[in-house]
Structure formats: structure tokens, C-alpha cells
Amino acid sequence: MLARSRLPALIPSLFVLRPSLAMSSATGTVTIHQPLNYRAGARVHPADGGQAEEVYEPATGRVICKVLSSGEKEVDLAVQSAKAAFKIWSQMSGMERSRVLLEAARIIREQGEEIATMETINNGKSIFEARVDIDISWQCLEYYAGLAGSLAGEHIQLPGGSFGYTRREPLGVCVGIGAWNYPFQIACWKSAPALACGNAMVFKPSPFTPVSVVKLAEIFTEAGVPKGLFNVVQGGAATGQFLCHHPDVAKISFTGSVPTGIKIMEMAAKGIKPVTLELGGKSPLIIFSDCALENAVNGALMANFLTQGEVCCNGTRVFVERKILDAFTKEVVKRTQKIKIGDPLLEDTRMGALINRPHLDRVQGFIKQAKEQGAEVLCGGDLYVPDDPKLKNGYYMRPCVLGNCTDDMTCVKEEIFGPVMSILPFDTEEEVVERANATKFGLAGGVFTRDIQKAHRVVAALKAGMCFINNYNISPVELPFGGYKASGFGRENGRAAIEYYSQLKTVCVEMGDVESVF
Ligand code: NAD
């Protein structure tokens, strides 16, 4: 296969990962190539900065590689390289851009198993889920390739034969800053609409997951984008700040926490740069007693335990109508206890390791506090130590269901970003809608009921950007995704994202003589 035979031709590898464990996935061994900064169509050592940070494999706790952060000079070089490529790319027709994006989608699909394995090793999520992430990633590129050829303005007739028209133009160099929970997918959700609209991009992944996005950069180059159109800089807050303050950056698209989102918005305000903010959440999932119980239980598990619970739109406040509280809780606990935890590269694993030790400790802290505040641990919540000695230093915990919860508890109010579900009983529709909306966040929400009028009435009343009826946490790329309130603004995916990566120019054309009032 092309994907495998191309590997040796790449820049010499420095780190071969867990060969024995990687053998257990369909891919075999995966290699991380160095360096991990990417500029003007090639991997480069950063021109400055250069501080080496260790990157961990969550499943084993071992260092898999080191990444050199980018300083101000490297950030500038990446932006300049994007600017140069923008001149070429923005002049191409939508159809020409579409062909390149389709080719990138094809390569991702072809190399999907290798990319999924890389993602699993660097992020800790199960290979089963990583494959889904990669599928959603190439689908996103295909979707925007499909739109690229039809991006257009409109023609407006004016009196006397005069007319106006609008041109939908790209913004220029866009910055993408990503979180660590969906490293490759976040990069695709940002770059696909950005590139389709004719922009260039400099992307900074989380320092915890710097690996797979460089693969995406190589794929774009192989697919035929002009060199420099998609660049990767590495590092943490300092590198992100250099990007946000750079005068040649036209737009910032950020995925991450609310506190960082506030800082991004402040920096963008200084340069009057448009921003998209995809931030955190504490979303409600409302289970009415007239639901199909098995579907509701499945929905609650999907809403809480994908990617070890490290999902922004998770429905972590599960409101259950009191009439079915016992039946629902019993079934959810039974199913949660059966979730197979362990080596994320094994085919039957459904929950891998959390991203790192400090985050695992933080999640544990939330559970301890929940108990102190009166919640009851119905299952899980403790650390999990796999039998395999290679995994003994990994960051595992058992998925947790909390009962006896009340709305004022910290575990119900704050984003935990781990596998912790809080169950909250309710009695009436009016009451549950009010409680569901009583949060600073507004990313997502869900409802399970067989009553079609009630379903639409309730989602219409929810103050959240992404709502689900009788399902949860599916992400078709055709649907816009984004938050209300403190969960951010702007939209990714769907046609809506085009608005956030382009601008309208209005041209007014006079066909007659100019009449002056002076
Ligand atoms: P984070 O805010 O700590 O970091 C996100 C990114 O911002 C990283 O790349 C980080 O290096 C960078 N960064 C940090 N400080 C910065 C600064 N001052 N200037 C510029 N860049 C800076 O978030 P995280 O821990 O990586 O991710 C978890 C959070 O992301 C959760 O709150 C989760 O809900 C949210 N998230 C939201 C979505 C969404 O689509 N709404 C998706 C995934 C994750």
C-alpha cells in the first residue's frame, strides 16, 4: 500500500513507538518523524524558540518524542510563508481548489489506519474511536471541496440599468489553535473551510498532541496545495500569543477552554481580527419517561464516555424524569461497568487513557469533591491499573456515574472533561428546561422522548448551539457546530462555516452619468 511504502522516504524517524503494542493494531508499528514544525511545504527546525518539551503516550506514560516550540521569529516565518502561498491559492478558481482538497481527502482515507494509530498513541483514545475521527476528518475535506466550486456572491439590479454585485473573498492568513482531545479532526474542521474559501493557514496544535497535524500538513502538500499554504507551529501559550498578535494574521479560529478563549478574544480585539471560539460546555441531556429506554441509555453513554469523557459537547448533566429514575440509573450503571478499559490500540477496547497525569488528578479531584458535597458514586471513579505491565504507568480510570446529585454541586456546575456522568431527577418539563438552561455554558443539549411535539418544544427552549433529539454526540460534517453563551460563537462545519472564513465585498456599478449635488 502507498501509505506504508511511503514511510521510509520521509525524513528519518527518531522514535519508533511501542512496537510490541502497536503490533496489536491493524497498522503495526507507527513512526513519529521529526522535526514537528512545518513551514513552506517541509518539516523544519524552528528558527528560534526551540525549547524542547516532552510528549507523552497516555496509555503507557512514557515519553514518545520531544517537540521544539516556535518562538516569535518562527511564527513570523510561518505567517510569511502562508502569505506567499495565499497569493497563489486565492487566485485559483473554486473548482481548482476543490480538486486539491478532494485529493487530500483521498490520501487521508488511504492512510487512515496509520493516522488513527498515531492519534491513539498520542491522545490515548481507543483505536476504534480514532478511526471514526479520521473518517469525519476526510469527510469534512470532501464536504468543503464540494462547496468550493459554488462559492459566489450575488447580482443586485439597481435603477437606470445600474447594478451591484458582491464578491465572496477570502480573509487571508487564518490562524487555527487546537485542543488536545481531537487533534487531527480539529485541524481538518478548521483548515477545510478555510482553504476552500481561498485562505492560507498557520495551525498550532496543543503541546500535548503535536504529532498528527504535521501528517495533515504533509498530506496537503502531497495533494498539491502551494508550498506554505498550511503551516504548523508548535508550542503552548507563548507561541499562541505570537500568532494572535501577528499583524499579518486576518482571523483566529480557536478550540479550547473558556479562560483561554477570553484571552484569545482580548488579543483579537487589539487587532480587530474576527474570531471563532469553540469553547467548553456542561451540557444537559433530558430523558423523559416516555422515551425508548434502551436508546436513552445508549444516548447517555455516548454523551458521556467517548474519548474518556474528554469531549466539549458531552451531556454530563443527565436529567431523568423521576418516574423512570431507578430503571434508567440501574441500566446505565450496568452498562458503564461493562465498558472495556485498557490498551487503546486493542480492537475491543472502548475506553483508553486520559490525556496526562495532571488532568487525571484533576478529574479525580472533582469526584472527591462530589462525594464531599453529598453525591453518591454509583460506579467507577477509581483509578484503573491494567494487568499488562507495559500499561501500568498509563492514565486510566473507571468511568463514573454519580447519583444523588443536586444542581449546586461543583460536579454539576463545572466542566470536568473526564468520564463522569451526573444524574439529576426532575418532575416537569417546565422545571427541567429552566434547570438545563441555568448554566454559563451553552454548547449542546439533548432530549429523549417519543412525543414529537415535546421534543421540538424542549430543544427550541434550550439555550445551546447544538441540540440532539433521540441521539447524542454524532457529528455529521453537514451540520453547523458551535456554542451559545460562554461556550463561544462562530460555527464550524456545514455551510455556516463559510461565513466565518470569507468576507463580502460589494461593488456598485454606475451605468449612467454622475449627478452631483454640488
Ligand atoms: P486550553 O484552552 O488549555 O488550550 C487550547 C489551545 O490554546 C492549546 O493549543 C494551547 O496551547 C493554546 N493556548 C493556551 N493559552 C494560550 C494563550 N494565552 N494564547 C494563545 N493560545 C493559548 O484547552 P485544552 O485543555 O487544550 O482543551 C480542553 C478544552 O477545550 C475544554 O474546555 C473543552 O471543552 C474545549 N474544547 C472545545 C471544543 C469545541 O468545539 N467547542 C472542542 C474541543 C475542546
Side-chain angles (χ1 to χ4, degrees), residues 111-168:
Q111 303 189 8
E113 191 61 21
E114 182 195 341
I115 302 168
T117 307
M118 215 176 247
E119 201 79 326
T120 288
I121 288 170
N122 194 185
N123 168 275
K125 68 174 73 189
S126 74
I127 185 74
F128 181 87
E129 269 194 60
R131 287 182 188 133
V132 177
D133 294 0
I134 305 311
D135 283 348
I136 290 172
S137 300
W138 61 254
Q139 284 163 17
C140 183
L141 281 161
E142 277 192 348
Y143 178 78
Y144 287 103
L147 290 188
S150 61
L151 298 177
E154 58 180 347
H155 172 274
I156 303 118
Q157 196 62 46
L158 297 172
S162 293
F163 62 94
Y165 62 94
T166 57
R167 291 166 49 87
R168 186 159 287 284

Side-chain angles (χ1 to χ4, degrees), residues 24 26 59 68 78 81 84 135 179 197 206 214 229 247 270 284 289 301 326 343 394 421 441 488:
S24 60
L68 296 177
S81 134
D135 283 348
C197 289
S206 163
V214 194
L229 192 74
K270 292 208 170 87
S289 59
L301 298 174
D326 289 346
D343 184 352
M421 178 195 304
F441 299 109

Side-chain angles (χ1 to χ4, degrees), residues 300-301 304-305 315-316 318 328 332 336 400-403 419-423:
L301 298 174
N304 280 272
F305 298 137
T316 44
V318 182
F328 175 87
V332 156
T336 302
C400 178
V401 179
L402 295 174
V420 185
M421 178 195 304
S422 296
I423 296 185

Side-chain angles (χ1 to χ4, degrees), residues 36-40 42-50 68-82 202 231-234 239 242-243 246:
L36 291 167
N37 282 259
Y38 194 91
R39 169 170 34 94
R43 290 175 185 255
V44 292
H45 288 287
D48 65 348
L68 296 177
S69 66
S70 304
E72 193 168 8
K73 188 168 173 206
E74 177 58 32
V75 165
D76 181 53
L77 288 172
V79 172
Q80 297 315 325
S81 134
V202 181
N231 306 273
V232 180
V233 294
Q234 301 282 2
T239 308
F242 293 136
L243 280 171
H246 198 293

Side-chain angles (χ1 to χ4, degrees), residues 294-329:
E294 197 182 335
N295 279 340
V297 169
N298 281 334
L301 298 174
M302 288 290 286
N304 280 272
F305 298 137
L306 289 173
T307 304
Q308 301 74 242
E310 301 156 324
V311 181
C312 52
C313 45
N314 268 359
T316 44
R317 291 183 293 142
V318 182
F319 292 97
V320 184
E321 194 167 346
R322 206 176 297 274
K323 278 185 241 170
I324 58 159
L325 181 66
D326 289 346
F328 175 87
T329 306

